[in-house]
Amino acid sequence: MKDRHAVTNQIGMAALGALGAIPVNARVVEDGPRFVSGGGVTSGLDVALYLVERELGPQIANAVERLFEYERRGTVWHAEGIAPIDFKTSQKASKEEQPAVVP
């Protein structure tokens, strides 16, 4: 799990980091096709339905959702693509870089 993106319930998120994983605040995290994790009890259903959809297709996954009377929530977080900008950090840095205005 070292250097892999993962999620667990809120109580265990700090432990993920301590074990070398990269904690992600999401319901379902996929870091490669063989490593998928869920963020809590109902997220386990989201993980299962995501895997059904990934392996068998959206029609089967939708049929299983209806059978369980459960609707998936959230987006599956993937360890790929462009990382979002942290606007809080970038705004703070841009304010520090601007020179003070002297009247």
Side-chain angles (χ1 to χ4, degrees):
M1 189 158 58
K2 186 168 173 42
D3 298 326
R4 303 293 295 268
H5 296 88
V7 64
T8 188
N9 64 31
Q10 291 302 312
I11 296 170
M13 288 294 279
L16 281 179
L19 293 170
I22 304 164
V24 177
N25 188 14
R27 289 183 64 78
V28 179
V29 172
E30 180 178 29
D31 190 343
R34 297 185 63 182
F35 190 78
V36 180
S37 57
V41 174
T42 60
S43 296
L45 289 171
D46 293 334
V47 169
L49 288 166
Y50 168 68
L51 292 173
V52 168
E53 180 178 13
R54 188 181 80 179
E55 299 300 320
L56 302 174
Q59 292 181 23
I60 300 294
N62 186 260
V64 173
E65 276 187 41
R66 288 193 319 269
L67 179 67
F68 287 177
E69 296 182 3
Y70 177 81
E71 186 175 325
R72 285 187 284 173
R73 294 186 298 148
T75 302
V76 175
W77 189 96
H78 294 271
E80 57 188 33
I82 300 170
I85 297 171
D86 183 354
F87 289 105
K88 292 177 184 176
T89 304
S90 64
Q91 287 176 352
K92 182 189 268 187
S94 66
K95 287 180 183 177
E96 292 172 0
E97 293 171 2
Q98 295 176 356
V101 177
V102 181

